[in-house]
Amino acid sequence: AYFITAWPAKSEQKTLKLLAEIVQKGRSIAQTSAQLPAADAQGQIKYASALPLEGFEPGAYELKITVTDSRGSVSRSTNFRIVP
């Protein structure tokens, strides 16, 4: 499971898009995308979701989240490990 908070530009008219990727050894091995909901009254978008990890071998992975608007994109990532 993961949770993000995004702050779109006040002038942004388009829906933000999210790409969630599982990366191993620099290679994207799984991904999913979603359109983010509109910002709340504080100008934030809070979003939670999960990626199924069944079938993934034990080892080190990276969760990379990319949020895209009409001007460009921003990515953040974190490492995690699947243990047997």
Side-chain angles (χ1 to χ4, degrees):
Y2 63 91
F3 174 83
I4 67 154
T5 302
W7 292 269
K10 292 181 192 236
S11 62
E12 184 62 48
Q13 298 295 317
K14 295 191 177 190
T15 304
L16 274 62
K17 295 180 182 174
L18 175 136
L19 175 66
E21 296 178 88
I22 301 295
V23 178
Q24 187 178 43
K25 298 178 182 173
R27 192 176 119 234
S28 178
I29 58 173
Q31 58 182 279
T32 187
S33 61
Q35 289 193 348
L36 294 175
D40 63 18
Q42 289 76 38
Q44 301 176 1
I45 299 172
K46 295 180 179 181
Y47 183 79
S49 191
L51 295 169
L53 297 178
E54 294 84 21
F56 283 78
E57 296 292 323
Y61 295 87
E62 175 186 10
L63 171 62
K64 180 179 177 184
I65 302 292
T66 303
V67 175
T68 303
D69 68 9
S70 63
R71 297 179 188 183
S73 62
V74 173
S75 297
R76 298 289 185 265
S77 64
T78 190
N79 296 316
F80 67 98
R81 180 170 289 281
I82 296 177
V83 295

